[in-house]
Amino acid sequence: MSGSSRSDTRGVVTVERVAVWVLAALAVTGLAALAYGPGADLRTAAPDVTVDGSYDADASAVTVSHAGGDTLTATSTTDVAVVVTDASRNATTTLVWATEARGLPVSAGDSFTVDDPSVDADGDGDYLDGDGSVGFYLDDGDTVAVVWTGRLVGAPDERTATLGTVTVGDGA
């Protein structure tokens, strides 16, 4: 009986070894899929966000909105900025929409309004009525870009990406 017990033990050891090799091969395959498969280029990855915008000529203000897609959270986002470019002077102003310390998460339905100092829209004597203001008048051709800076989970480095741009007078 002891002879058959020994061969049974050898069979179990062989099955265990095969199982370990199969699991190791699956782990290597999984890592390769992460490195070379869909979504593998995390160096250039950015959140998938739809940005909408509108221009209110009476208030001389542009509102950009998170219209859908990924929620921008403190886990992967350092900051969300609104970069306004004065097309006639090629000058830019960067305004902070949200940071880890203030305003995150930014999700669908959230918005940020940029105004210029030409109109006191709420009549309070202060011409800076939006969430952020620029030191020039908003005119046709000026652009308002929503810029994300952060590091997606699994990405090697922090990066910056423009999530969307609105042009004043171009349907906005």
Side-chain angles (χ1 to χ4, degrees), residues 49 66 70-73 80 97-99 102-108 110-111:
V49 173
H66 182 309
D70 297 333
T71 296
L72 306 175
T73 65
V80 180
W97 180 346
T99 64
R102 182 181 64 91
L104 287 173
V106 174
S107 57
D110 292 341
S111 63

Side-chain angles (χ1 to χ4, degrees), residues 14 16 27 37 41 57 106 109 143:
T14 302
E16 287 174 349
D41 199 1
V106 174
T143 59

